Amino acid sequence: MLAPSPAGFRRLWPLLQPHRPRLLAGGFCMVVFVACWPLLASLAGRLIPAIGEGDLPAVLRNIGAALAVFLVQKAAQFGQDTLLAGPALAVSQDLRRQLFARLQRLDFGALEKLSAGDLTYRLTEDADRVGEVIYKTLQDSTPSALQLLAVLGYMLWLDWPLALATLLLAPVVAVLVSLFGARVMGAAERSQKQVSELASLLGEAIGGLPLVRAFAAEPWLQQRFDAEVDLHRRARYRTLRLLALQHPVVGFIEAAGILAVLLIGAARIQSGGLSGAGFSSFVAALLMLIDPIAHLTTNYNEFQQGQASLRRLRAIEAEPVEPPDRPGARPLGQVRGELVLEGVSFAYTPAKPVLHDLSLRIAPGQVVALVGPSGAGKSTLFSLLLRFNTAQRGRVLLDGQDLADLQARQLRRAIALVPQQSRVFSGTIAEAIAFGRPASASQIREAARLANADGFIDALPGGFEARLEEGGSNLSGGQLQRLAIARAVLGNPAVLLLDEATSALDAEAEEAVQRGLEQAMAGRTVLVIAHRLSTVQEADRILLLEAGRIVEEGSHDSLMARGGRYRDLCQRQLIRIEG
């Protein structure tokens, strides 16, 4: 991973190290390209007097020599640009890969605070801008800077007093560029922030269009969108206005400097310190400075914008990541599915504890339902079992082994989750069930059978090779949920976590999913989160959680007979109260 450093783009140098052969070859082409400029200036110094004197043979000789130099220079430029493009693109690609890998390891609390649209913009547009700056630096800024040095060296060799007078202009231009660059960087950061916010709003809007239409809220959404677009336009306009002001100001300074050099050159010729041919070469060399200065000015502004992008990318690295496995973390081995919580306490923030000294034992193969109001700690308990979070006090054990001492990936293969809303990635049905795990066609089909999904899959054109559209939009909610169950049971987990697995379905779809769940649950330890109490009446045990504590525990019938909080909740949901 990239080490944090205030050095900006210098911290990307390690990513260029594997490409040293191409960089060296591109550097050689760059040296040839730059070395041609003084030769062309010298040839121009001979050509201009020859034209003035009407010496056609001399004109032809110098033109032929200039064409040969131009041919070598352009061939070197082609080699330079093509050889250096690969490393620059590779750095952008490696940076994007590394940041995406870190994104996958971010702490869930940090991840929930980040906007999906903003993260998408950072890993696409910002990463591309960083790659473009690296390419411009290698392919344009470095040759331009070397061209300046080579041509200035030639000018000093021709006439050092005149060259020193020319050099006095450089600090003035440099100060102007630096002042504008700092302001451009600030404006670019604000502009990029507005683009991220616009992307976030677009993501919300596109996903929520049916809801917006259902509430006739199109004018409200249009107003919000118009406001964000206007803020983005203003931020972008401020950046472009600064750039528009910079070019004429710097251009005027350059023009004034050239006129001053012409005046001083005329005085040097009059005093005999410089010949007419030498001055022609000097002026040609001076004109060769304009293009690299313009390139460096433009590239400096882009560099500042790239610096802003790099800063936004580095912000991802500052976010906390999931703690790694402890040294010597053990693999699980064969799992029976016994879960034990010993005095577990957990809080996302110290002032708001979620679980309080929770102790619990679940036997292998037992089905346990977790019920209670929102915020009672049910989902937090799931996150502790999957080790998305770690208890601040107490221990969570699987078959007598502390989860904190186990390898996280092995643990998550033994504990499978079926979420409330199934999310699938684009690809085939088989790929959605396998979900990146090695599995044979027979294993995938068996998982689908257990989830009661094989029937509808076989009815699809292509069967298990049928393509899923984005978000699984070509399947119903019940079908997606059965895919989620098949995905969960494919690895034969010992523990199954069901998070409101049927709450969002209609009666017919719920019945099909419920059959799949019953088959998938057989022989496994199962924990079920449910707000609809009608779905958990057959559980072996029901735990009623309130404010992070178990306040009632038992079977449905025993809890109903007790006449406590669980019975009250059932009566509110019109569930049978007979024992």
Side-chain angles (χ1 to χ4, degrees), residues 22 26 29 75-89 135 139:
R22 288 179 68 93
C29 292
Q77 186 178 23
F78 173 77
Q80 161 197 292
D81 292 354
T82 53
L83 285 167
L84 297 179
L89 291 172
Y135 178 60
Q139 172 263 346

Side-chain angles (χ1 to χ4, degrees), residues 214-382:
F215 280 82
E218 294 94 338
W220 167 81
L221 183 59
Q222 185 68 47
Q223 187 177 18
R224 281 192 62 188
F225 183 77
D226 291 347
E228 286 293 339
V229 168
D230 190 56
L231 287 172
H232 169 252
R233 178 191 60 81
R234 292 181 185 181
R236 185 65 181 153
Y237 176 73
R238 282 191 290 268
T239 305
L240 294 175
R241 186 174 58 184
L242 282 171
L243 292 172
L245 180 61
Q246 178 180 359
H247 292 303
V249 170
V250 175
F252 176 77
I253 295 295
E254 290 173 349
I258 290 171
L259 293 174
V261 167
L262 292 175
L263 178 62
I264 298 169
R268 291 288 295 158
I269 292 172
Q270 188 178 28
S271 65
L274 185 64
S275 67
F279 184 68
S280 297
S281 293
F282 191 94
V283 171
L286 182 61
L287 293 174
M288 291 176 184
L289 295 179
I290 296 174
D291 193 51
I293 288 174
H295 281 225
L296 288 172
T297 301
T298 302
N299 292 347
Y300 182 73
N301 292 328
E302 292 187 11
F303 178 83
Q304 294 293 347
Q305 295 182 51
Q307 192 86 310
S309 291
L310 185 58
R311 186 178 301 164
R312 286 164 47 77
L313 291 173
R314 286 165 62 185
I316 298 176
E317 295 180 338
E319 295 291 344
V321 296
E322 181 182 46
D325 291 335
R326 289 177 178 177
R330 301 189 301 272
L332 258 175
Q334 188 66 32
V335 181
R336 294 181 299 111
E338 181 190 49
L339 293 171
V340 177
L341 281 74
E342 297 179 346
V344 170
S345 295
F346 177 80
Y348 294 102
T349 57
K352 295 181 178 179
V354 181
L355 297 177
H356 302 267
D357 195 27
L358 195 67
S359 293
L360 173 67
R361 180 184 178 276
I362 301 173
Q366 199 169 47
V367 178
V368 176
L370 306 175
V371 301
S374 297
K378 304 183 295 295
S379 296
T380 298
L381 185 56
F382 273 22

Side-chain angles (χ1 to χ4, degrees), residues 1 95-96 98-107 110-111 114 118-124 126 309-321:
M1 194 61 210
L95 181 63
R96 186 178 280 129
Q98 290 185 1
L99 290 172
F100 185 73
R102 185 174 181 88
L103 190 65
Q104 292 194 81
R105 296 189 295 110
L106 283 189
D107 178 82
L111 194 59
L114 298 171
D118 180 51
L119 286 173
T120 301
Y121 183 84
R122 293 190 202 192
L123 289 175
T124 52
D126 281 335
S309 291
L310 185 58
R311 186 178 301 164
R312 286 164 47 77
L313 291 173
R314 286 165 62 185
I316 298 176
E317 295 180 338
E319 295 291 344
V321 296

Side-chain angles (χ1 to χ4, degrees), residues 328-338 398-403 405-415 491-495:
R330 301 189 301 272
L332 258 175
Q334 188 66 32
V335 181
R336 294 181 299 111
E338 181 190 49
L398 175 61
D399 290 354
Q401 301 184 76
D402 192 334
L403 299 193
D405 294 329
L406 299 173
Q407 295 175 4
R409 288 192 175 181
Q410 293 264 335
L411 170 66
R412 290 163 189 166
R413 290 192 181 106
I415 301 178
N492 193 27
V495 180

Side-chain angles (χ1 to χ4, degrees), residues 42 76 131 172 179 184 187 282 301 304 334 386 409 453 456 458 509 529:
S42 176
V172 178
L179 289 173
V184 166
F282 191 94
N301 292 328
Q304 294 293 347
Q334 188 66 32
L386 289 164
R409 288 192 175 181
F456 85 80
D458 286 332
I529 291 177

